[in-house]
Amino acid sequence: MEDDEIIKNLVFDNQLLMVLQHFNLAKLDYAKNIKIYTSIPQMNVNIYLERLENMGLIEKYSGSSIKRTEAKLKKTNEVHKHHTYYLLTNKGHYILKSIGPREYIKYLELPCLKMLAYKKRRNDDPSKRAKLINMGLLDKYGEITPIGESVLDLAKRRQINLSDT
């Protein structure tokens, strides 16, 4: 899978991106712990881990014990492995660093940007609203998220015409 296609998949699926971003914080972790930190259901976390591994963004950890220097969220100095642990690959780190508001604008069409800009338009098209929620630009209540604010700010700085006409 090409990097552009991977970035597109991550931009369009905020939960998948959240799992990948968790590894930036944790360095090394397992599914149940990811579920706790991200509030994503366990079945979805398992599916996302498999997808991320197939994309080459994470890999299974092969050691027999885990030290706190390797797994930043571990509470003890060293534990024996009881789960399947994953860690971020160099490619995963590179891809994660490259995702920002520019990528969101690249894949959003103008009607979605206008819907993001104007609260009164957020109920106009349920499919576009669902897309913005899935991308993490709106929350489930239709309120703009911090990444949504960043995308909107960049669109305004680029002078994209977001007028309500």
Side-chain angles (χ1 to χ4, degrees), residues 24 26 54 90 120 138 158:
N24 210 26
N54 289 337
N90 287 338
K120 64 182 179 184
L138 292 178
R158 285 189 174 179

Side-chain angles (χ1 to χ4, degrees), residues 84-160:
T84 303
Y85 282 81
Y86 296 88
L87 67 137
L88 197 61
T89 62
N90 287 338
K91 180 179 180 180
H93 184 71
Y94 164 77
I95 294 283
L96 198 51
K97 282 182 73 172
S98 69
I99 295 177
R102 268 186 308 161
E103 280 65 42
Y104 285 89
I105 287 177
K106 180 177 176 183
Y107 297 114
L108 273 176
E109 54 275 346
L110 190 58
C112 285
L113 279 171
K114 287 182 178 183
M115 184 180 276
L116 193 62
Y118 296 100
K119 191 172 187 172
K120 64 182 179 184
R121 283 191 162 201
R122 293 188 188 151
N123 292 324
D124 289 353
D125 187 343
S127 65
K128 286 185 175 82
R129 179 186 162 109
K131 179 180 181 178
L132 291 171
I133 290 171
N134 199 40
M135 292 175 78
L137 302 176
L138 292 178
D139 65 15
K140 63 184 177 183
Y141 304 109
E143 297 298 320
I144 195 164
T145 62
I147 186 66
E149 289 282 354
S150 300
V151 169
L152 199 52
D153 182 53
L154 182 61
K156 288 175 182 175
R157 283 188 280 131
R158 285 189 174 179
Q159 299 177 346
I160 296 173

